[in-house]
Amino acid sequence: MRQASETEVLVVPAPQEVAGRLRRITAAGAIYERLHADIVSLRMPPGMLLQEKRIADDFGVSRTPVREALLRLSEGGLVEIYPQSSTVVSRVPVSAIPEAVVVRKALEGATVETAALIATAADIARLDAIIARQQTHAAAGNASNFHEDDEAFHEAIAQISGYPGIWATLKTVKVQLDRARRLTLPVLGRMDNVVHEHMIIRDALAAHDAVAARSAMTHHLSAVIPDVDELRARYPDYFC
């Protein structure tokens, strides 16, 4: 550790200054997580105006942590900040969708293949529980909860494989794809198809068939590509 010289003065932040900094960082993180979830779920649709003051009031904080959260969202391509003007939820870039699918196929193909070699009975039971919840959500037409358990299914496979960090990486890579997919889940029969595809993957894992597991995952992820032309026709203001 570097020693201070006789003439050097070490400035130690006051406890209240440190506490204030930590509160700001914590608040910015909480605001980021909430806005991120609302944008990806389309509760905040593309083009929606975000007002710093209103967000600050909702969270009971100053504008500083709000600005930090918005800057982080901007870096992730989820909001567009126009200095001295406005901040809006960004439109979904069509060009990002095919690339996200390619990355998912490569990384999730690897995790499901590994998971098939080492999955235990408890792991399969975990997947069964998730699929059962998805069946319930599909029957009720609850697209939001269905999507959450869709995420849980794929995250569980990454964890079973021993590579949970891959899912953490994918969550960032596929964020624009997720926004587009939210528009496809209400399509009649799509949720039932997803459940069926998940069951095929689950059966391959239970049989410890790595080749079949990768093939099933590749087929499943090919089906998640939304019909962008149709979506753009239905939601012309959502894509760019």
Side-chain angles (χ1 to χ4, degrees):
M1 180 180 295
R2 184 175 66 84
Q3 298 292 323
S5 68
E6 292 183 359
T7 58
E8 185 178 3
V9 177
L10 293 180
V11 179
V12 179
Q16 60 269 28
E17 181 182 345
V18 173
R21 190 178 304 163
L22 290 174
R23 282 195 298 271
R24 191 192 76 240
I25 294 172
T26 301
I31 295 167
Y32 170 83
E33 293 295 340
R34 172 74 66 79
L35 295 179
H36 186 282
D38 286 348
I39 292 170
V40 174
S41 67
L42 300 184
R43 287 190 292 269
M44 289 183 169
M48 179 177 176
L49 179 66
L50 300 178
Q51 299 177 334
E52 282 187 11
K53 183 179 185 306
R54 181 172 181 178
I55 296 171
D57 290 343
D58 287 345
F59 281 87
V61 298
S62 69
R63 292 194 182 190
T64 300
V66 175
R67 291 193 187 103
E68 292 177 4
L70 291 175
L71 282 172
R72 187 176 168 191
L73 289 166
S74 175
E75 291 169 356
L78 291 178
V79 304
E80 296 178 8
I81 299 175
Y82 302 97
Q84 310 303 320
S85 179
S86 62
T87 298
V88 298
V89 176
S90 67
R91 292 189 292 173
V92 179
V94 172
S95 60
I97 294 175
E99 183 176 30
V101 174
V102 169
V103 175
R104 286 197 71 175
K105 285 182 179 179
L107 295 182
E108 292 199 68
T111 57
V112 78
E113 193 172 60
T114 301
L117 300 175
I118 60 177
T120 65
D123 293 329
I124 301 304
R126 177 183 178 186
L127 297 178
D128 285 340
I130 295 171
I131 292 173
R133 292 199 302 268
Q134 285 194 288
Q135 290 173 320
T136 299
H137 300 323
N142 190 328
S144 180
N145 286 351
F146 184 93
H147 183 83
E148 294 304 318
D149 275 317
D150 182 74
E151 294 283 284
F153 181 83
H154 289 269
E155 182 175 14
I157 291 175
Q159 292 172 346
I160 292 168
S161 75
Y163 301 121
I166 287 181
W167 183 249
T169 298
L170 281 171
K171 287 178 69 175
T172 300
V173 171
K174 69 188 186 68
V175 66
Q176 302 295 356
L177 171 63
D178 287 341
R179 297 172 75 196
R181 286 182 59 227
R182 289 280 185 161
L183 298 171
T184 67
L185 282 179
V187 173
L188 184 63
R190 180 56 195 150
M191 287 189 280
D192 291 332
N193 289 341
V194 170
V195 169
H196 178 67
E197 292 160 10
H198 280 183
M199 291 179 70
I200 294 174
I201 295 170
R202 175 263 182 218
D203 289 346
L205 291 172
H208 301 295
D209 189 335
V211 173
R214 179 184 277 272
S215 176
M217 180 64 78
T218 298
H219 173 77
H220 172 57
L221 294 178
S222 296
V224 305
I225 302 177
D227 186 332
V228 176
D229 289 337
E230 179 183 346
L231 290 178
R232 292 183 81 167
R234 291 172 58 192
Y235 307 96
D237 298 327
Y238 280 17
F239 295 89
C240 62

